[in-house]
Amino acid sequence: ATARFVQLQRCLADDRLAEARALWRHLQPLTRACFAEPNPAPTKAALAQRGWLHDELRPPMLPASAATADALTRTLALLALPA
């Protein structure tokens, strides 16, 4: 969702707060899911769901839980982000 976060930053920089708030409300579920567990587990899980890499972490790090992975799947679908 990089383009949407860039758009959010531009709205803030241009003092378009109503538009920034609307964008943030739209992006907040993704941010919440990405930070539900220590990184990089949720980030790698989301990228693996997109087929961009394997969901593997070196010990002692653990992959994202099934609950976080499910939340990411739902959130990515709701945001309709292109693969």
Side-chain angles (χ1 to χ4, degrees):
T2 303
R4 293 181 189 171
F5 279 101
V6 169
Q7 183 181 5
L8 172 65
Q9 188 278 330
R10 288 184 179 149
C11 288
L12 290 169
D14 294 340
D15 206 28
R16 297 179 311 197
L17 297 181
E19 189 176 348
R21 283 185 190 106
L23 279 166
W24 176 245
R25 280 191 292 276
H26 184 72
L27 291 168
Q28 193 173 18
L30 177 60
T31 302
R32 188 178 303 116
C34 284
F35 289 97
E37 296 181 24
N39 270 311
T43 302
K44 290 192 96 169
L47 293 173
Q49 289 177 9
R50 316 290 278 173
W52 295 348
L53 52 76
H54 295 286
D55 190 6
E56 299 172 353
L57 295 166
R58 287 179 279 171
M61 294 183 283
L62 299 172
S65 67
T68 296
D70 289 344
L72 287 164
T73 300
R74 288 190 310 274
T75 301
L76 293 170
L78 285 173
L79 294 177
L81 294 173

